[in-house]
Amino acid sequence: MNKEADDIKVGKLYLCATPIGNLEDITFRVLNTLKEVDLIAAEDTRHTIKLLNHFDIRTPMTSYHEYNKVDKARQLVDKLCHGVNIALVTDAGTPGISDPGEELVWQCYEAGIEVTSLPGPAACVTALTLSGLPTRRFCFEAFLPAEKRERLWILEELKKETRTIIVYEAPHHLVRTLKELEEALGKDRNITICRELTKKYEEVYRTTFRLALERYEKETPKGECVIVIDGKKIADMQKEKQRSWEDLCIEEHMEIYLKQGMEKKEAMKMVSRDRGISKREIYRLLMTH
């Protein structure tokens, strides 16, 4: 192998979080990194140039977006292998979250390239903390899939989700998505819709699917939206499960467990748990049939 090639120091990929609205949210570390790297890979160079001009950053840029993410990632990895340090930025927020950055990160790891993330704004976390809904457990769905079959599958999955759910949506698709979510999750489910996060006209609208549709069917919102949805209550799931057993009479319910080899006493205990009633009541019902 060429000794000169051996001496080349491999570059590093920096995932740089940029503001989701308010330019003051950018960190000193990100600013310094954007100035010091050799190249900035931007989702939309026309958008990012405004940010760079605002902070007087002259680093060269190249485009890296959804439609060139695989081939362009290979080119960027090749540059990194030849000692070029690259910063990756998305239009707003943290690269790699619901954007093509994840492809570049994967290819970097495959090639043995070091990757580091410079923390900063993320619309999903910002909206979650503003929502007034439980934050200990949450799931991030980003934009629901455009493909109909996959979209229906995701909506069906969300019916059983007990964690707080975070969904992104563009303003002109908001009503359609709210209708689909309402049908899947129920019109009175508590939600919070966040718009224009960190900007002058930021809005945090705590509501339900029913009330949100009444509003947005009359007025189209402005700005990207984050929908934060209360998860299904575990108590409600337990009640639904109990109701599902009501289609069986007590004897049929008992027979399910007896056929599994359980003793009558243990079967009664299981039926009692399933139906949410006492063993004494189970015994009484069996005696009256």
Side-chain angles (χ1 to χ4, degrees):
M1 183 180 281
N2 189 306
K3 186 178 186 305
E4 185 179 343
D6 284 342
D7 293 338
I8 294 175
K9 185 178 180 181
V10 176
K12 187 173 180 179
L13 178 67
Y14 297 84
L15 308 177
C16 294
T18 54
I20 58 176
N22 193 319
L23 293 180
E24 293 182 6
D25 289 336
I26 200 164
T27 68
F28 289 122
R29 186 181 173 206
V30 167
L31 287 175
N32 289 332
T33 299
L34 293 177
K35 291 175 182 177
E36 293 168 2
V37 293
D38 303 299
L39 181 67
I40 297 171
E43 188 174 8
D44 186 339
T45 54
R46 296 166 300 179
H47 180 88
T48 300
I49 192 63
K50 298 173 185 176
L51 176 73
L52 300 187
N53 287 342
H54 182 83
F55 291 107
D56 194 29
I57 297 171
R58 305 299 178 187
T59 307
M61 278 195 297
T62 187
S63 65
Y64 176 74
H65 50 72
E66 182 65 28
Y67 303 104
N68 71 356
K69 64 181 181 182
V70 177
D71 291 337
K72 190 59 176 282
R74 294 194 190 103
Q75 297 173 29
L76 293 174
V77 167
D78 184 64
K79 290 181 182 294
L80 287 157
C81 288
H82 286 82
V84 176
N85 289 312
I86 299 175
L88 177 68
V89 298
T90 184
D91 285 349
T94 301
I97 298 180
S98 189
D99 81 354
E102 61 181 321
E103 172 68 27
L104 178 56
V105 171
W106 179 82
Q107 288 199 30
C108 281
Y109 283 130
E110 287 291 297
I113 302 295
E114 184 179 358
V115 180
T116 189
S117 181
L118 283 60
C124 54
V125 174
T126 305
L128 176 65
T129 58
L130 284 172
S131 68
L133 296 172
T135 60
R136 188 178 72 83
R137 299 172 65 246
F138 64 92
C139 68
F140 176 57
E141 283 295 332
F143 290 92
L144 294 178
E147 199 277 317
K148 186 176 180 180
R149 184 176 297 178
E150 186 181 359
R151 192 178 181 95
L152 290 173
W153 184 83
I154 293 292
L155 289 167
E156 189 65 28
E157 285 288 296
L158 291 180
K159 289 181 181 180
K160 303 185 290 288
E161 183 56 71
T162 59
R163 296 170 295 179
T164 300
I165 305 161
I166 305 171
V167 175
Y168 286 167
E169 193 50 274
H172 54 288
H173 288 148
L174 181 63
V175 168
R176 181 195 70 175
T177 297
L178 288 175
K179 284 181 178 178
E180 291 175 339
L181 288 167
E182 178 194 43
E183 184 176 344
L185 306 179
K187 63 183 180 180
D188 292 320
R189 182 75 68 95
N190 290 324
I191 65 173
T192 300
I193 300 176
C194 300
R195 299 187 307 104
E196 300 284 87
L197 285 169
T198 77
K199 299 178 183 177
K200 182 178 180 180
Y201 296 107
E202 175 181 276
E203 180 186 53
V204 179
Y205 177 38
R206 302 189 67 217
T207 183
T208 62
F209 285 120
R210 177 176 58 83
L211 294 176
L213 281 167
E214 286 179 8
R215 174 181 176 180
Y216 292 123
E217 283 178 332
K218 297 174 184 175
E219 59 175 82
T220 302
K222 295 180 180 179
E224 297 295 312
C225 302
V226 184
I227 310 167
V228 187
I229 306 162
D230 200 7
K232 188 164 189 172
K233 303 303 181 189
I234 293 175
D236 291 341
M237 294 181 71
Q238 291 172 335
K239 288 178 182 177
E240 286 179 8
K241 191 172 181 180
Q242 288 170 4
R243 285 196 295 269
S244 71
W245 289 109
E246 292 174 3
D247 292 335
L248 296 176
C249 69
I250 293 293
E251 289 82 358
E252 290 170 331
H253 198 160
M254 283 284 293
E255 192 64 24
I256 290 173
Y257 293 116
L258 292 173
K259 283 182 177 179
Q260 295 175 17
M262 287 187 186
E263 296 292 333
K264 187 174 181 180
K265 187 176 181 181
E266 185 64 21
M268 288 175 64
K269 181 179 177 181
M270 296 298 293
V271 172
S272 169
R273 184 201 65 179
D274 290 343
R275 292 180 176 252
I277 58 179
S278 68
K279 284 189 290 183
R280 181 178 295 180
E281 180 66 9
I282 298 297
Y283 182 79
R284 187 189 68 77
L285 290 169
L286 285 170
M287 292 300 99
T288 56
H289 281 73

